[in-house]
Amino acid sequence: MIGSRRRRLGAWGFEGVDLVAPQPLLSFLNERLGASAGLPRADPARFAIAPPRSLPGALGEGSREPLDRLAHARGQGLTDLVRLRTGTVTALPDAVLRPSSEDEVESILRACAAAGIRVIPWGGGTSVTGGVNVLPGDEPLVSLDLERLSRLVDLDERSGLATFQAGTFGPEIEAVLGARGFTLGHFPQSFELSTLGGWIATRASGQESLGYGGIERLVAGLDVRAPAGKLSIPAFPASAAGPDLRQLVLGSEGRLGVVTRATVRVRRRPPPLVVKGTLLPSWEEGIEGAREIVQRRAPLDLLRLSDAFETEVSLLLGLSRDRALDRIVQRLLSLRGVTEKSCMMLCGATGDGLEESAAILKAHGGVRVGASPGRKWLADRFRHPYLRDSLLDSGYATDTLETAAPWSRLSDLSERVRRAFPEPIVVLCHVSHPYEDGASLYFTFFFPCPRDPEEATARWAHLKRAATAAILAGGGTLSHHHGVGIWHAPWYESEVGRDGLRLVENAAAAFDPTGILNPHVLLDPTDRLEV
Amino acid sequence: MIGSRRRRLGAWGFEGVDLVAPQPLLSFLNERLGASAGLPRADPARFAIAPPRSLPGALGEGSREPLDRLAHARGQGLTDLVRLRTGTVTALPDAVLRPSSEDEVESILRACAAAGIRVIPWGGGTSVTGGVNVLPGDEPLVSLDLERLSRLVDLDERSGLATFQAGTFGPEIEAVLGARGFTLGHFPQSFELSTLGGWIATRASGQESLGYGGIERLVAGLDVRAPAGKLSIPAFPASAAGPDLRQLVLGSEGRLGVVTRATVRVRRRPPPLVVKGTLLPSWEEGIEGAREIVQRRAPLDLLRLSDAFETEVSLLLGLSRDRALDRIVQRLLSLRGVTEKSCMMLCGATGDGLEESAAILKAHGGVRVGASPGRKWLADRFRHPYLRDSLLDSGYATDTLETAAPWSRLSDLSERVRRAFPEPIVVLCHVSHPYEDGASLYFTFFFPCPRDPEEATARWAHLKRAATAAILAGGGTLSHHHGVGIWHAPWYESEVGRDGLRLVENAAAAFDPTGILNPHVLLDPTDRLEV
């Protein structure tokens, strides 16, 4: 539940909301990938749920409800959905604890450490890296759901600093700030379902990170509670008093402790975001245009460049709505030199912020296609993951991978990752989250989902391993904003080195000496892609 | 030596360069503080230098020259100057080692760890927090001077990423980049004398940090060598693969290891910086104007707001040059409502970047005073520390303190720190390094310097303790850009907490288990202000 809205089991988002795959997209996938049989939706009746193991009284009651435990067993990765749909999730937390104060978080953690009970901190549960997944094992385990820690603690309007408890969800943060004339500006795709604490634990980035920065820039101070440690980092605009300990917590994925509150940098609410589309003549020209926009510091809040294939699929998604208009637009575009190699760039800004980028893109052969693609993207910006469920209903599995790299490597890197997928897998790519020195690449791939969950998981794991290897070989980071979780952990050492890993292990050991906190994410290199 | 220029002993900068205190300033100090007798300049003949302790052959030759050892005994803090002038520095490194490769750094560190020899990494030696000071002790100690590691390793022009070895000095970095059309934009006051590695170790900020960011934003990747560890963090524009380990190295002051190279974000060289002055009717109005400029994101690279007292002293510094013009200007200003409470703000930008801030300041009662104060500031921006030596020649000690805090606390904080100094100490203050959520405060204080070095040191330590306590009580950070060093270390725990300190200790212990690296900075809480 978030407010009065009920979350769906084994699918994205809320009951009653859907984004149904349009027929042109299904025809396209059918043509490319062949026909596939749909997977049934998740049904609680399909699960044989073992009774919870007993827990010490010091932990308080918590919830032992089978459905509540099931809802806290897995995140939102593709194979989480497959296993929840097929009733093959067997490892559940023994209880869901919902502390009502930050001190209660601390006492729960101490009691769990004393009793050897493992703890998985739970924000919105939207991890796509296995970051909140319960693994089969003998130790008792609880899910620590922070949903009751969800209030504004303080707003310093002059400094633009807002302190929230960590369990506050995105829409609540914006509603509370909006009522006072402010915005945080952090809008990840999971915005409606994810929390401040989850963003911090995973170093999340919002879609408007170009204008506002990722969560690592937005967090000015934070509090952490751990079984054997406690941090309360004050909100300074900057400090040279030793290393920046906030940056050790950001991305620690629960291994170091539980973030209970954070002070974030907020801004006066600007006029609404305007997003407009431009077609660039090629992927390479688009990347150069994006680079120039960012390096010249044109005042954009958002920039996304789709490759030609993703541009085509986006058009398919739109086609079902107004075919006649679309045919006219396409004819006009072809008259202006737009081809099947054209790549759509969306630029978003407030006020007259789009002018400078438009001029830059014109010099790169850009053809403006007006506000309609941007309006459509804005309308669906938090709904796109629902499409994944609809496609799975039709038998097509979809997953995403993302990375970031310097500008000089992006084109080669995108090509390497595309080639890592065997034919006829459909792979789309876009550039987003651009920085002066580089950008992230985001890949979406589609394959026919085997009906058998083990087969489906093995197929996905095979593709994921190949694509991740290509990302690292191409000089990209293991993740720009999804995090490491359980599934990327086998590659974490190759990114930070043996001694980098050791630094994080040491920090975790200082705060959680018995290793009860989310023990398989980030630092456990076991390959669990097929679990 | 930096290039062909010879550094002065016990004073700032290079032989042959000076900034002599103008008579109006001396008269002003004389009137406020009373007459004082000047301290003699440093004279190598005044020192009784003990022969170096023997070191294992594995360390290589190094330099055992008495003057070289003396030049590596102390940084540039006020009492360093006093002790060097009075010949009361007794603890010297036993050798100065100048490795010629990054691997040699590593082998030296391993050999030192094996033999129990302490190591103080040395960049430009400009620390004002005791960060490179040798303390009296029984263990042999070497200074590890990185001046031979000073080349451009790689420049990725498309991504704007330049990799330099860590011993490269500021002017060399800008010269090499400038020849290729780029700039790093990092201009701390110590720019001519400090190195990339030193900036990283101390989390330095340049005067144009508003436009470029501090070193913590500029560093994209780095390499560290340590007695029992090694890091090679690649240059990604951003990453969610675990905590940001760069930010654990930035500010580690040599405790974690020696930074041997770093990849920094560079930009196409913009047109020259233009700096213009505006007089604001009061300190509070000035702070509000600065806040509005930054929160509205006016495109400035630099902003400094002097309090009324600093404004007056700046005018005294200028008076000696063109008194007639100054009198005319003053008369004109008084006609426009400028009073003795007026505060000078300097705004710097390239191109037409000053327009927006000028409009904002006008609404805050600002009176533009043209380009002359800005030109003067630009001309002297790296020479101001020479003035300190000239004042000491006349018997007046000068030192600085700095902090940062949210906007809502700045006015109160500045008042607390001013009140922490007893009459008739002269205290000037300015706001610089502004951020959306706050800014740094920089204090300069003057007092008559006792001729006896112990008395001078005790007097300074007394003032420093009182001012630091006021900074912390007022909600400021222990340091915005000078770092912790030896002198601020007693207060470090009160900033990060016991467990924050423990995290940094653990990281240091992982890379330097025998504790040979710069062992008294940052983590050793002993009060050594009088050493």
Side-chain angles (χ1 to χ4, degrees), chain A residues 121-137:
Chain A
W122 184 276
T126 58
S127 173
V128 291
T129 62
V132 292
N133 285 10
V134 179
L135 293 175

Side-chain angles (χ1 to χ4, degrees), chain A residues 156-161 202-204 211 216-217 220 228-253 256 265-268 287-288 291 295 297 301 404-409 435-440 475-484 492 495-496 499-504 506-511 522, chain B residues 156-161 202-204 211 216-217 220 228-253 256 265-268 287-288 291 295 297 301 404-409 435-440 475-484 492 495-496 499-504 506-511 522:
Chain A
D156 173 351
E157 296 199 357
R158 283 179 72 203
S159 308
L161 290 169
T202 58
R203 289 187 90 83
E216 70 277 8
R217 201 205 72 81
K230 198 167 172 170
L231 283 180
S232 187
I233 309 286
F236 295 128
S239 171
D244 186 347
L245 297 177
R246 293 169 309 167
Q247 299 292 337
L248 194 58
V249 175
L250 284 148
S252 61
E253 302 193 354
L256 193 63
R265 297 175 172 127
V266 299
R267 290 187 187 165
R268 290 275 167 200
I287 288 176
E288 284 307 289
R291 178 172 79 93
Q295 291 184 346
R297 275 163 283 152
D301 292 316
W407 289 111
S408 59
R409 290 198 192 136
Y435 303 83
E436 287 186 46
D437 53 335
S440 84
T477 173
L478 189 50
S479 170
H480 171 268
H481 59 274
H482 285 168
V484 175
Y492 182 52
E495 172 132 343
V496 297
D499 290 331
L501 186 78
R502 201 154 53 87
L503 282 180
V504 183
N506 273 37
F511 273 34
L522 195 59
Chain B
D156 173 351
E157 297 199 357
R158 283 179 72 203
S159 308
L161 289 169
T202 59
R203 289 188 90 84
E216 70 277 9
R217 202 205 71 82
K230 198 168 173 168
L231 283 180
S232 188
I233 309 286
F236 295 127
S239 171
D244 186 347
L245 296 177
R246 292 170 310 166
Q247 300 290 337
L248 194 57
V249 176
L250 283 148
S252 62
E253 302 193 354
L256 193 63
R265 298 176 172 126
V266 299
R267 290 187 187 164
R268 290 274 167 200
I287 289 176
E288 284 307 289
R291 179 173 78 93
Q295 291 184 346
R297 274 163 284 151
D301 291 317
W407 289 110
S408 59
R409 291 198 192 135
Y435 303 82
E436 286 186 47
D437 52 335
S440 83
T477 173
L478 189 51
S479 170
H480 171 267
H481 60 274
H482 285 169
V484 176
Y492 182 52
E495 172 132 344
V496 297
D499 290 331
L501 185 78
R502 202 154 52 87
L503 282 180
V504 182
N506 272 38
F511 273 34
L522 195 59

